[in-house]
Amino acid sequence: MTGKTHTSCGLLVGALTIEYYQTDLFTSITIMTLAVISSLLSDICHTQSKVGRRFKVLSFLVRILFGHRTFTHSLLFLSIISILLYFIQTPEYYLVSIILGLLSHVILDMLTPRGVKLLYPIPLTIKFPLVFKTGGLVDLSLAGALSIGALYVLFKSFFNNLFLSF
């Protein structure tokens, strides 16, 4: 999937986390930021990705050490990040937004023909039975739908009041 699709899904993850935890404005902005960044973070292994271009040296090193869609797209990576966040006593709403952002990236990439090495270091490619071309019409449509979903969740009370007034 493209960076736009991952970002859209990160926005939805952030919006749902905010909705669930009913956070204040500062915490909500932080949750949204963490969810979007974490939804892009797995592509640090791809030097031409949004995050890879920002951290070129780190991206290059991760790519050389692990390859693309391997370690950073695995349950092992998710587990290590979860454990680290738990041990540094990350507030639950931040931990949830980060882990779900990372997980959303992996799930979206499982919708592509290339799939991911979900069980890394076991060299087994995991993908869904129905896959879509990265950058294709389905990818673009999914990005739009996820963005609309995020906007709805964030402004649900406004939309409900607007539609109930008719």
Side-chain angles (χ1 to χ4, degrees), residues 76-92:
L76 176 61
F77 182 70
L78 286 167
S79 299
I80 290 169
I81 298 296
S82 298
I83 291 166
L84 289 172
L85 292 172
Y86 176 79
F87 278 119
I88 63 170
Q89 299 180 352
T90 304
E92 185 177 348

Side-chain angles (χ1 to χ4, degrees), residues 60-126:
F60 179 75
L61 289 173
V62 171
R63 176 71 179 231
I64 294 298
L65 289 172
F66 301 108
H68 183 50
R69 291 190 181 183
T70 58
F71 174 65
T72 61
H73 288 69
S74 71
L75 294 175
L76 176 61
F77 182 70
L78 286 167
S79 299
I80 290 169
I81 298 296
S82 298
I83 291 166
L84 289 172
L85 292 172
Y86 176 79
F87 278 119
I88 63 170
Q89 299 180 352
T90 304
E92 185 177 348
Y93 38 80
Y94 294 152
L95 186 140
V96 166
S97 66
I98 293 167
I99 298 307
L100 290 181
L102 289 167
L103 186 59
S104 74
H105 184 104
V106 173
I107 290 169
L108 286 173
D109 279 357
M110 289 170 58
L111 285 168
T112 65
R114 187 158 179 207
V116 299
K117 303 288 191 230
L118 187 64
L119 304 174
Y120 182 86
I122 299 170
L124 180 65
T125 299
I126 308 290

Side-chain angles (χ1 to χ4, degrees), residues 6-84:
H6 290 302
T7 299
S8 299
C9 197
L11 288 171
L12 181 58
V13 164
L16 291 170
T17 304
I18 290 165
E19 175 77 15
Y20 182 80
Y21 287 99
Q22 295 294 304
T23 56
D24 61 65
L25 181 60
F26 175 78
T27 304
S28 297
I29 291 169
T30 307
I31 286 171
M32 291 297 283
T33 303
L34 290 171
V36 169
I37 290 170
S38 63
S39 73
L40 296 168
L41 184 62
S42 291
D43 272 344
I44 191 71
C45 62
H46 184 7
T47 55
Q48 295 305 308
S49 68
K50 289 185 182 292
V51 71
R53 288 186 305 237
R54 295 244 191 261
F55 302 97
K56 292 180 189 222
V57 174
L58 180 59
S59 179
F60 179 75
L61 289 173
V62 171
R63 176 71 179 231
I64 294 298
L65 289 172
F66 301 108
H68 183 50
R69 291 190 181 183
T70 58
F71 174 65
T72 61
H73 288 69
S74 71
L75 294 175
L76 176 61
F77 182 70
L78 286 167
S79 299
I80 290 169
I81 298 296
S82 298
I83 291 166
L84 289 172

